[in-house]
Amino acid sequence: MKIGVVGTGYVGLVSGTCFAEFGIDVICVDKDAGKIERLKNGIIPIYEPGLEDLVAKQVKAGRLHFTTNLAEAMEGADAVFIAVGTPPSVIDGQADLTYVFEAAKEIAQNIKGYTVIVNKSTVPVGTARRVTDVIRAANPNADFDVVSNPEFLREGAAIDDFMRPDRVVVGTTSERARAVMRELYRPLYINETPMVMTTPESSEIIKYASNAFLAVKITFINEIANLCEAVDGNVQDVAKGMGLDGRIGSKFLHAGPGYGGSCFPKDTLALVQIGEQHKAPQTIVQTVVDVNNARQKSMADRVIAACGGSVKDKKIAVLGIAFKPNTDDIREAPSLVIIPELQSAGAKIAATDPVAMDNAKKVLNNVEWCEDAYATIKDADAVVIVTEWNEFRGLNMDKVADLVKTKCIIDLRNIYKLPEMEERGFHYVSIGRPALIDGKAASKIRAA
Ligand code: UGA
């Protein structure tokens, strides 16, 4: 089989490369000639573990090609994937579909035989129908079907997510298109990966509802963490106790500084907009958006409190800028809220991140950028762990104790054990876990 993939961003490049790994002939197309040239030379525009090697392998095998010419990508293709960006509109937060419709028009002009047009971009409900109308208007004689096929890839784990997904969702009412989709996902189909065959509308909702539900889950456990802090509970134990209930599940119950990234913040806002537009208010999701925004901001207060009420002229070492590990993506990262808040409270910031520093330098000012964790924490009044990179999980605490000015660690990802840190004499503040003093919960001592 042969497919074209329009857009060599995160979704397009990962999907195209993985389809090539499935044995399909893939041509990825992008308008950005420089990007295509770099891809042809093996230079990958995003950081995603394993992607560079897989692209090289598939290019070498002759199954993965790059071009700026859509007609070439569509020549003999069974399906064309639309994987262009849908950034939130600056006006109302709704997904901006300009690139999707532009791609649809161009595709329309190049349809020869029966072609399945697959929407992989995250798009509002009704977009598959609108794309159908755009194509029909541009090329009334075209023989085609439009399918909604949302992606559920996580940055940093995208290849594994594509190769071993929990499910594949295919939204179309055309049996002919379903057959093509089954064939494209044949290796997964054989592996008995569940395939949800549904309408385009349901498929489009599944994408938003899944991301929004995960955002709800995270925000829920974050609020439970606040309660744990107030009553000496331990949120990790609570999450474990809840998660073992098969109806709840243990994933996405890690309390932290609030979710970020290019998906949850964008998709929760878009779902709220879609609900408003269709007079089906998404009140829970709206609340989650508000609670999450407030949470990211409140993390700075936590640091200030740990520093005795003021960070004025203090050196705060920030470990981790990316919104999560294994990515250089800093979009909507908690660090981008916490650092400016601390700066406006008078703190001097030193920071590091294993791969996101180049991106961070473009948006954060007056930060002393350091090569690694140890260089960052030198003479620090407090160390804040914002992203749970492996590099920060196994720090030599003797060395840390020697380097810092004050033994104060604010661990926003709960990657260290509380009693151990306190035994070592650190003032250690984490999330949803009570501080211990001589093995007793701090609040109990306060109350006594
Ligand atoms: C998310 C979804 O998990 C993917 O299924 C989806 O395909 C993708 O969005 C998308 O729509 O493209 P991603 O944004 O890469 O993937 O990252 P996640 O691993 O989901 O993490 C999102 C945020 O939630 C991060 O800031 C992370 O730190 C936070 N998080 C996650 C928590 O605070 N606690 C958790 O238990 C899990």
Side-chain angles (χ1 to χ4, degrees):
M1 291 191 91
K2 190 187 160 200
I3 62 169
V5 179
V6 183
T8 56
Y10 191 80
V11 174
L13 193 55
V14 171
S15 307
T17 308
C18 291
F19 273 124
E21 178 79 4
F22 284 176
I24 291 164
D25 196 7
V26 180
I27 304 192
C28 291
V29 49
D30 203 294
K31 284 197 163 136
D32 184 339
K35 199 173 180 189
I36 289 297
E37 210 37 52
R38 285 191 291 279
L39 281 165
K40 280 184 176 170
N41 291 318
I43 301 164
I44 309 296
I46 49 171
Y47 176 84
E48 180 62 37
L51 185 60
E52 195 171 326
D53 288 349
L54 202 58
V55 169
K57 180 182 162 197
Q58 293 310 321
V59 168
K60 197 166 170 225
R63 281 192 294 265
L64 182 62
H65 311 267
F66 299 101
T67 179
T68 51
N69 184 345
L70 181 67
E72 185 190 329
M74 286 187 63
E75 192 64 49
D78 300 280
V80 183
F81 283 71
I82 300 179
V84 296
T86 53
S89 137
V90 278
I91 303 160
D92 56 8
Q94 285 203 47
D96 180 350
L97 298 178
T98 313
Y99 301 121
V100 173
F101 293 139
E102 267 176 20
K105 263 188 221 151
E106 271 189 60
I107 287 169
Q109 276 134 27
N110 290 290
I111 293 178
K112 295 207 178 108
Y114 175 69
T115 312
V116 177
I117 319 299
V118 189
N119 228 336
K120 262 234 170 278
S121 303
T122 299
V123 288
V125 188
T127 304
R129 301 231 178 262
R130 289 176 69 191
V131 167
T132 306
D133 294 343
V134 168
I135 295 176
R136 194 152 286 141
N139 183 354
N141 298 321
D143 187 12
F144 71 101
D145 280 306
V146 175
V147 172
S148 159
N149 174 222
E151 56 86 17
F152 302 100
L153 312 176
R154 284 164 306 162
E155 290 185 22
I159 292 171
D160 203 50
D161 282 351
F162 194 96
M163 298 295 183
R164 277 171 283 278
D166 289 338
R167 79 300 206 186
V168 173
V169 176
V170 174
T172 175
T173 47
S174 155
E175 199 40 62
R176 198 174 171 198
R178 278 184 191 160
V180 171
M181 295 303 286
R182 261 192 216 105
E183 199 49 35
L184 286 175
Y185 283 105
R186 198 175 155 74
L188 300 182
Y189 194 58
I190 291 168
N191 279 348
E192 298 188 356
T193 300
M195 291 222 157
V196 181
M197 295 291 177
T198 182
T199 61
E201 289 75 14
S202 300
S203 170
E204 289 161 348
I205 296 174
I206 287 168
K207 169 67 190 186
Y208 282 109
S210 301
N211 272 0
F213 188 82
L214 293 171
V216 171
K217 215 173 163 187
I218 296 165
T219 308
F220 180 87
I221 202 67
N222 284 342
E223 285 204 320
I224 293 293
N226 290 346
L227 180 61
C228 288
E229 282 161 19
V231 300
D232 296 327
N234 181 323
V235 74
Q236 286 178 314
D237 291 346
V238 173
K240 190 172 177 195
M242 288 171 63
L244 287 169
D245 184 328
R247 295 169 301 176
I248 297 173
S250 59
K251 292 183 180 159
F252 280 69
L253 281 182
H254 300 288
Y259 63 77
S262 63
C263 305
F264 288 177
K266 167 172 83 79
D267 292 350
T268 43
L269 269 184
L271 185 61
V272 168
Q273 285 292 331
I274 295 167
E276 263 172 32
Q277 198 184 335
H278 295 279
K279 306 219 173 345
Q282 299 298 303
T283 332
I284 293 173
V285 180
Q286 176 63 66
T287 305
V288 161
V289 170
D290 297 340
V291 171
N292 192 65
N293 288 340
R295 182 164 187 87
Q296 288 194 349
K297 225 171 158 206
S298 75
M299 291 299 120
D301 299 335
R302 192 174 285 253
V303 177
I304 294 168
C307 291
S310 170
V311 288
K312 191 153 175 17
D313 298 327
K314 289 186 177 160
K315 174 177 170 176
I316 309 294
V318 175
L319 306 186
I321 304 291
F323 80 97
K324 65 173 193 177
N326 298 322
T327 177
D328 64 351
D329 197 339
I330 60 165
R331 283 175 284 180
E332 308 286 334
S335 61
L336 302 191
V337 175
I338 298 167
I339 290 175
E341 285 283 320
L342 291 174
Q343 286 174 324
S344 58
K348 291 176 281 178
I349 304 288
T352 191
D353 188 287
V355 299
M357 274 201 287
D358 285 346
N359 287 337
K361 283 175 192 168
K362 292 176 202 153
V363 294
L364 289 167
N365 300 317
N366 298 323
V367 172
E368 182 199 339
W369 295 106
C370 303
E371 213 159 86
D372 62 13
Y374 298 112
T376 314
I377 64 179
K378 191 166 182 315
D379 297 327
D381 292 280
V383 178
V384 189
I385 301 170
V386 184
T387 317
E388 67 277 36
W389 281 96
N390 276 343
E391 282 85 341
F392 307 144
R393 283 181 186 273
L395 293 177
N396 177 337
M397 283 300 160
D398 292 333
K399 198 168 167 188
V400 172
D402 281 348
L403 283 169
V404 293
K405 188 165 154 203
T406 314
K407 288 167 78 179
C408 173
I409 296 186
I410 301 98
D411 176 2
L412 302 181
R413 299 288 183 171
N414 287 351
I415 59 178
Y416 285 97
K417 292 205 171 81
L418 189 97
E420 275 175 27
M421 295 304 283
E422 295 198 335
E423 247 165 53
R424 288 175 174 276
F426 280 96
H427 174 42
Y428 175 75
V429 176
S430 57
I431 298 281
R433 301 188 300 181
L436 299 177
I437 295 172
D438 295 333
K440 290 191 196 111
S443 63
K444 296 254 163 59
I445 290 171
R446 278 196 304 271

